Amino acid sequence: MSEKELGKKWDRCLADSAIKLGTGLGLGIVFSVLFFKRHTWPISFGSGVGLGMAYANCQNDLRSHYLQHRRQSVFI
Amino acid sequence: MGKSIEQKLTFIHRCTASGAIWGSVSSVSASLEESLTSSAKATLQAIGAQEAALQAITRHTLKLKEAMEAEEKSAQWKDLEAALADRTGAVNDAETALSKANEALDSLKSVIDKSKGLKVSAVRPLVLAAEENLHNMVVDLDKVVTKVHSAESEAKIVSQYSELVNEAKQQFQREVSSLTPEIQANWKGLTGKLSSDDLNALIAHAHRRIDQLNRELAEQRVREQIHIDAALEQQKLEDQKALEKAVSTALQHIKEEARLEQERKLSELREVMEAEMRTQLRRQAAAHTDHVRDVLKVQEQELRVDAEQVLSSKMLEQETRYRQLSQEQLDNFTLDMNTAYARLKGMEEAIDSHVVAEEEARKAHQLWLSVEALNYTLKTANADIPTVPLEGAAQAVRDSCHDSDFALALSSALPEESLHRGVYSEASLRARFNSLRSLARRVALIDESHNSLYQYFLSYLQAALLFEEKQEAPPAQLCSEDLDPFKLLSYASYCLEHGDLELAAKLVNQLRGEARRVVEDWLTEARLTLETRQVVSLLSAYANAVGLGTTQAP
């Protein structure tokens, strides 16, 4: 069903963004805790990275149909 | 002799027994036999008597000789007398028997003559045999008679001699007795009792007697020749007589024999002749039968040919008539058969055409039924479940429309998806559209060029803020303004609400971009449903048309 595709996409997107955000945050927290003496910038950096990755992924996923992938043409 | 007669009798018996039995022949043969037997008996008797006589004579002669030579004894004389008596008796018997035999033979001869007088050929051998027998009997009888005569003559001589001797003896006795009367007859044994005188007288008498005898002897010697001549003459005469007699009898016998021989030869010859004649006649008869047979054969051939001709002509006639009749019959029959066949053909054709029409009607009916079934299957769709796969119904339709290309084409035009998966009902599509509409509204701004997340956000915002008519009647022609997704969606909703899936699909088809992508599936489903419905309606129309065409007004 084509109408469910969008919903699936959004699901993936959200899931992915949650994961990335969370992972970023987590990593940021970790890094901040471990390496950066509890500075908040790794956390925001990490979450920002996560968010950004998620956004990019989501966008990519949503426009995947419109993007033409290079196909390997076969020469006869 | 007797044996031969017996043999001949048996021969005659056989002849008469085996000869042909005709009245006269049998009587003749019977009479012949009778006389033959009687004569044979008589002859046998005569011969027997004659032989007995002969024997008696010889005995008597012998006895006489003995008596002569021996001493005179009274016993011997008695024997002699007995023998003489015997002889006389035998001779008498012989004579009577002879006469009887002669009588019988004469009667036989007469019978034979009588039978010869009848002139019956079959009797001849019997007659011949009887004659031969007669002759033989006569011959035997004569022989015996001659023997008896010779014996008698001998006896006569001996008796004469004995008489002479007796006479001499008696004379001597008389002389002796005259001389010596006291001496008895039996003087030979009494020599001692005689005296010397008697002896001297006796001697003198003896001397005188001797002288006398000498004188007689001399005389006798002188007259010897004369006596001998006389005796010879006498003998000659007697001999001649005897000879004549013998000759005559012999002649007679021989004549008889010759005659018999002749008769026998004649009969033999006659038999031979008869046999030959019979063979010749037989030959002739055979020749005649052969000739007759040949003639008959020829005649038979001719007659057969004629008869066959007649038969063949009649047969031909009958054949032609028969053939004619049968041909007529055959023609009539053929005619009848042809008419019947024509009628049958007509009936068959009518029935066939009827059958064809019926078949057509049936097929049309079937087609209609299958199409109805197909139609019905379309209704089996529930809320969100598609119909049952239309494969079965489509197959039924295909089966029931073998000969209709149109129907076949139509049935093959059914889309694969509908066949295998079934189609969705309009209601479900409608429902689905309602849920799709909001989604399509939300992604109205997204297309190839505008598809970032920001655009998504904007699009969502637009959808939230823009309000359009839920349902709007679509215009007859779409202008460029109407190509706005919201408008299109409202038009489509209106159409769907009013059951016009086709127009709705058309309108939805005008969506572009992401909205289009979103409603793609719905569109395909709608298309599928529309296609199926179209095909089914066409089939139904066709079935109806065909059904109408084939049903006949009563």
Side-chain angles (χ1 to χ4, degrees):
Chain A
M1 305 283 241
S2 60
E3 62 259 28
K4 297 215 170 81
E5 213 179 294
L6 192 66
K8 280 182 208 155
K9 273 185 189 168
W10 276 123
D11 284 342
R12 275 202 300 270
C13 184
L14 276 173
D16 188 47
S17 74
I19 288 166
K20 288 205 167 44
L21 197 66
T23 313
L25 196 68
L27 273 174
I29 287 169
V30 162
F31 275 117
S32 147
V33 163
L34 287 176
F35 300 119
F36 296 110
K37 294 170 199 121
R38 299 206 181 181
H39 285 289
T40 52
W41 67 263
I43 300 167
S44 52
F45 182 71
S47 60
V49 163
L51 193 67
M53 277 202 297
Y55 185 89
N57 267 353
C58 206
Q59 194 169 269
N60 222 16
D61 192 16
L62 281 170
R63 15 158 118 147
S64 63
H65 182 260
Y66 296 105
L67 292 173
Q68 301 290 332
H69 295 281
R70 262 183 277 170
R71 284 182 208 156
Q72 290 184 4
S73 54
V74 178
F75 288 102
I76 303 163
Chain B
M1 264 194 293
K3 230 196 216 176
S4 65
I5 290 177
E6 287 296 331
Q7 280 176 347
K8 295 216 169 82
L9 264 178
T10 51
F11 167 68
I12 285 179
H13 276 291
R14 252 187 267 132
C15 275
T16 52
S18 64
I21 314 287
W22 300 325
S24 60
V25 173
S26 64
S27 69
V28 159
S29 62
S31 65
L32 267 174
E33 204 180 313
E34 215 183 285
S35 49
L36 260 172
T37 44
S38 63
S39 59
K41 254 189 249 167
T43 314
L44 274 169
Q45 255 182 345
I47 287 171
Q50 293 282 1
E51 289 210 340
L54 184 75
Q55 275 186 0
I57 289 168
T58 44
R59 237 185 296 129
H60 178 246
T61 315
L62 219 66
K63 280 259 158 50
L64 201 60
K65 273 195 199 150
E66 279 177 10
M68 286 307 300
E69 282 165 12
E71 280 275 319
E72 293 184 5
K73 284 187 188 156
S74 56
Q76 272 192 333
W77 280 115
K78 276 195 193 134
D79 276 342
L80 201 61
E81 278 181 13
L84 182 64
D86 245 346
R87 175 195 160 163
T88 45
V91 165
N92 286 337
D93 283 338
E95 292 242 327
T96 49
L98 184 69
S99 64
K100 262 197 233 163
N102 280 334
E103 259 180 47
L105 285 169
D106 284 337
S107 73
L108 173 66
K109 203 169 173 68
S110 71
V111 164
I112 285 172
D113 287 337
K114 203 175 29 159
S115 56
K116 258 201 254 184
L118 281 174
K119 293 209 190 265
V120 177
S121 60
V123 159
R124 256 194 225 113
L126 302 173
V127 162
L128 213 62
E131 274 184 354
E132 272 186 12
N133 276 346
L134 176 70
H135 173 70
N136 286 338
M137 282 192 272
V138 161
V139 160
D140 290 339
L141 210 57
D142 284 342
K143 265 193 229 163
V144 160
V145 161
T146 45
K147 266 197 216 157
V148 164
H149 280 318
S150 65
E152 272 192 348
S153 65
E154 216 185 284
K156 208 190 277 177
I157 291 169
V158 172
S159 71
Q160 267 184 358
Y161 172 66
S162 72
E163 268 180 32
L164 275 172
V165 166
N166 276 342
E167 210 184 290
K169 264 195 199 159
Q170 275 179 7
Q171 199 174 355
F172 187 66
Q173 227 185 8
R174 259 185 273 130
E175 284 176 9
V176 166
S177 64
S178 70
L179 283 175
T180 55
E182 56 266 12
I183 293 175
Q184 300 297 320
N186 207 1
W187 56 278
K188 266 192 185 169
L190 292 168
T191 42
K193 292 177 188 167
L194 289 169
S195 62
S196 56
D197 280 340
D198 288 328
L199 273 170
N200 287 333
L202 214 64
I203 287 166
H205 180 72
H207 274 298
R208 267 203 304 274
R209 190 85 179 128
I210 287 167
D211 281 334
Q212 192 197 359
L213 281 172
N214 278 338
R215 263 192 306 234
E216 272 187 14
L217 189 64
E219 206 181 305
Q220 209 58 292
R221 258 201 217 119
V222 164
R223 288 201 189 138
E224 191 184 332
Q225 193 65 34
I226 299 164
H227 282 184
I228 282 171
D229 284 341
L232 275 171
E233 281 290 331
Q234 201 182 11
Q235 191 61 37
K236 224 187 263 177
L237 280 169
E238 278 189 7
D239 272 345
Q240 205 162 354
K241 253 193 259 170
L243 186 75
E244 275 179 14
K245 197 161 162 228
V247 161
S248 71
T249 51
L251 199 69
Q252 234 182 3
H253 285 167
I254 282 175
K255 260 197 215 161
E256 194 70 27
E257 264 185 40
R259 192 182 64 83
L260 283 173
E261 188 77 28
Q262 193 188 28
E263 293 256 315
R264 210 183 302 127
K265 282 240 166 64
L266 203 70
S267 73
E268 273 181 22
L269 200 69
R270 194 175 286 130
E271 267 178 37
V272 165
M273 284 289 138
E274 289 230 337
E276 201 169 312
M277 178 158 273
R278 213 173 280 133
T279 46
Q280 294 296 347
L281 279 172
R282 222 179 282 139
R283 240 184 249 158
Q284 194 178 36
H288 178 68
T289 51
D290 282 343
H291 171 69
V292 162
R293 201 182 298 141
D294 288 339
V295 165
L296 275 173
K297 223 180 266 178
V298 165
Q299 239 178 15
E300 188 192 331
Q301 291 285 79
E302 283 179 15
L303 283 171
R304 183 172 287 145
V305 162
D306 283 339
E308 281 197 356
Q309 237 177 8
V310 166
L311 179 74
S312 65
S313 72
K314 283 264 159 62
M315 282 290 288
L316 206 71
E317 202 184 294
Q318 286 286 17
E319 278 264 343
T320 49
R321 195 150 20 116
Y322 172 73
R323 228 177 262 139
Q324 218 175 10
L325 279 171
S326 68
Q327 195 62 37
E328 253 179 57
Q329 210 177 28
L330 202 71
D331 288 339
N332 283 343
F333 184 66
T334 319
L335 205 70
D336 288 340
M337 280 296 286
N338 280 343
T339 50
Y341 188 69
R343 280 174 63 192
L344 186 71
K345 265 265 163 289
M347 277 199 289
E348 265 186 12
E349 270 188 38
I351 288 169
D352 281 342
S353 65
H354 201 244
V355 159
V356 162
E358 289 260 314
E359 187 70 26
E360 288 290 308
R362 195 183 62 79
K363 270 201 208 138
H365 201 226
Q366 207 155 352
L367 182 66
W368 186 84
L369 277 172
S370 58
V371 165
E372 278 298 302
L374 190 61
N375 216 0
Y376 185 74
T377 54
L378 280 180
K379 293 195 189 112
T380 57
N382 288 335
D384 275 325
I385 313 163
T387 58
V388 297
L390 301 179
E391 180 63 45
Q395 187 58 40
V397 168
R398 248 175 271 150
D399 289 339
S400 60
C401 63
H402 288 292
D403 48 354
S404 167
D405 293 336
F406 181 62
L408 270 172
L410 277 178
S411 61
S412 55
L414 277 169
E416 284 292 316
E417 279 292 319
S418 71
L419 288 175
H420 294 302
R421 198 210 55 188
V423 295
Y424 285 95
S425 66
E426 201 174 315
S428 67
L429 282 170
R430 209 183 310 137
R432 195 165 153 191
F433 185 74
N434 285 335
S435 63
L436 265 178
R437 188 178 171 181
S438 54
L439 189 60
R441 283 179 77 244
R442 264 183 254 144
V443 294
L445 280 176
I446 311 294
D447 59 19
E448 299 92 18
S449 53
H450 308 102
N451 53 16
S452 65
L453 261 176
Y454 180 61
Q455 295 289 345
Y456 268 95
F457 171 68
L458 284 176
S459 171
Y460 271 83
L461 193 64
Q462 183 188 12
L465 293 174
L466 215 148
F467 299 97
E468 77 280 3
E469 294 284 337
K470 274 273 163 42
Q471 294 164 16
E472 205 178 316
Q477 276 184 332
L478 285 174
C479 54
S480 58
E481 287 176 352
D482 293 326
L483 293 178
D484 173 43
F486 297 96
K487 262 230 167 72
L488 282 170
L489 285 169
S490 61
Y491 287 154
S493 281
Y494 178 84
C495 291
L496 274 175
E497 284 305 310
H498 286 85
D500 192 353
L501 185 60
E502 192 185 336
L503 193 55
K506 280 184 196 163
L507 287 162
V508 167
N509 200 25
Q510 300 303 317
L511 285 170
R512 298 276 173 266
E514 189 65 28
R516 176 55 181 271
R517 275 189 60 219
V518 158
V519 300
E520 194 70 45
D521 271 351
W522 185 93
L523 201 59
T524 2
E525 287 295 327
R527 271 211 203 98
L528 216 63
T529 306
L530 282 167
E531 265 182 54
T532 311
R533 274 224 300 232
Q534 187 181 44
V535 168
V536 167
S537 68
L538 274 172
L539 274 172
S540 166
Y542 176 68
N544 281 331
V546 167
L548 273 174
T550 53
T551 48
Q552 291 164 355

